Each structure stands twice: as C-alpha cells, then as structure tokens.
Amino acid sequence: MTVLDPADAVELDRLLRQAAEADVPGVLRGMTDGADMEQAAIDTIAAHCRVDHVATLVFPAAVDDVHTHLLGCQWRTASEVPSVVVRRRLAHRYGLDDELLDVSIIRAFAHDTAGVEVFCLPPTVATKHVVECERRLHQERHTALMVDTPSRSLLSELRSLLTGQLAMRPDGGGHNPHENQEAGGRSVLYFQPPVGNRLELTCIGDFTPVVAQHLDGA
C-alpha cells in the first residue's frame, strides 16, 4: 500500500481550504493592485463567470492515493483524464519531451464550494529537479473562472478586460478534447496577474480561434 508524500498531503489540504473561500471579486482583487478604475472590469467579469476550481500539481506514486485523500476529506472525485495544457507547459519549462510526461487531472467536488483540480505527475516520470522546483515555486497553482454561457465574442471581451484594465499577461492556454467531449472539449486561457498565481479563464466548447489569438499574445 502506498501513501501520499507529506508535502503533497499538505498541498492538497491547503487547496481545499482555498476552494472553500473563493469568489470571483475576491479572486480578482487579490490579483490586482486594487485601483478603483479596475472595479468596473471586475464587476463585468463577475457577471459572466463563477469560480470553477482552484488547482495545484502533486507527485503521487499512485493516482489512487490522491482519490483516497480527497475522499477522506469528504470530497467527491471524478475519474482522471489526461492533461494537455499542463503537460506541454511542464515540458517546455524543463526542456522535456511532452510525450513522455504522463500528467493526469483529477477533479473533486464538495457541497456549496468551488471545485478543485489536481494535476498528477508520478515521481517515476518527473525528474528530481522537476519535483523540487515545482514544490518550491508552485508554478501550476491557479484559480479558474468558468464562463457559463460562452461565445466567441464574450470570451474575447473577457480576455480583453483581463489583459487591459486588469493588466494581466497572456500565459498560455489550449483546447483539451478529452474533457467534455460531447460539447466539443474545453478551452482554457491562462493569465499571469500582477500579483499572485496564474488565473485561468475556461469554458466548455471549442474556441480555438480565441485560444490562438491568446497564444499569439495579441
């Protein structure tokens, strides 16, 4: 029987506490300098989005250990799915072959709170350097806002507010066809805010033209 590394257990417990406290205005205010001029943009984004999940990366010897830990904390878990965006991001960051990185995603849910998203990379696949750096820097921590009724124009508008009035820098993204396959997959845009960890803007569906524009930094 395997168990989670203590560092991973601590990180998961922190993640669950963060999920219980998250709301859109609070998340955005915590990522900006709090200027009054930003409030209109925050209000617009909050009108179209909800906090979908908070996320982190852990290194379990067995993915089932993550399920067991979350279930023990009274969170329901869904079956893991392959990661696309995070796998590519890690490969680029550390100069690795992304086809060799077996990154999976576990989503978990509890009553009346945002969900959590746990990226799992087995330590047998990751190098010691990757594990040490990610546990120190937590570069895959993020908070995700879900656009509930997405369209290409709305997604573009929200993206413009985040990069304009809220001064966030485009920081990657992609389309994962493995998630919500019946609705066209899931599209994600990542942003690096002036303060704190990465923000994700996500929605169900294939919005690859907006993703492409975001990746170009336009």
Side-chain angles (χ1 to χ4, degrees):
M1 178 179 179
T2 56
V3 296
L4 280 177
D5 185 288
D8 287 340
V10 168
E11 178 65 5
L12 290 177
D13 291 341
R14 182 208 61 81
L15 189 72
L16 302 185
R17 292 193 300 271
Q18 181 187 359
E21 299 169 357
D23 65 84
V24 175
V27 166
L28 294 176
R29 282 195 295 268
M31 293 179 169
T32 59
D33 62 13
D36 291 341
M37 62 179 291
E38 298 167 345
Q39 191 58 50
I42 290 174
D43 290 343
T44 299
I45 296 167
H48 293 285
C49 300
R50 56 183 168 83
V51 179
D52 182 65
H53 64 267
V54 294
T56 197
L57 171 68
V58 295
F59 302 91
V63 174
D64 283 349
D65 293 338
V66 175
H67 285 282
T68 298
H69 187 90
L70 294 172
L71 289 169
C73 295
Q74 309 305 310
W75 284 65
R76 308 182 313 277
T77 63
S79 298
E80 62 269 15
V81 297
S83 166
V84 173
V85 175
V86 173
R87 185 189 72 199
R88 289 174 180 168
R89 191 198 306 279
L90 288 167
H92 176 75
R93 187 178 298 146
Y94 295 103
L96 302 172
D97 183 349
D98 69 337
E99 295 299 326
L100 300 180
L101 292 180
D102 182 18
V103 183
S104 57
I105 308 169
I106 295 175
R107 287 196 170 86
F109 312 89
H111 179 67
D112 198 27
T113 184
V116 300
E117 190 172 87
V118 183
F119 302 111
C120 301
L121 178 60
T124 53
V125 174
T127 66
K128 181 179 180 181
H129 175 66
V130 170
V131 175
E132 290 177 347
C133 286
E134 291 300 317
R135 282 185 172 155
R136 184 176 73 255
L137 301 175
H138 301 292
Q139 296 182 90
E140 291 307 325
R141 283 182 183 173
H142 69 259
T143 300
L145 306 184
M146 171 67 76
V147 185
D148 283 320
T149 55
S151 67
R152 181 173 175 179
S153 60
L154 176 59
L155 193 60
S156 294
E157 177 188 357
L158 296 175
R159 176 184 172 277
S160 294
L161 289 173
L162 290 165
T163 57
Q165 286 89 326
L166 300 189
M168 297 192 185
R169 176 174 56 82
D171 193 29
H175 172 253
N176 191 342
H178 302 292
E179 301 179 62
N180 307 100
Q181 294 184 36
E182 69 286 351
R186 178 187 286 250
S187 297
V188 296
L189 307 177
Y190 284 108
F191 303 81
Q192 185 61 52
V195 180
N197 297 113
R198 183 179 293 111
L199 178 75
E200 175 187 332
L201 189 66
T202 185
C203 60
I204 306 304
D206 184 352
F207 293 95
T208 48
V210 183
V211 172
Q213 182 184 22
H214 189 69
L215 294 176
D216 287 341

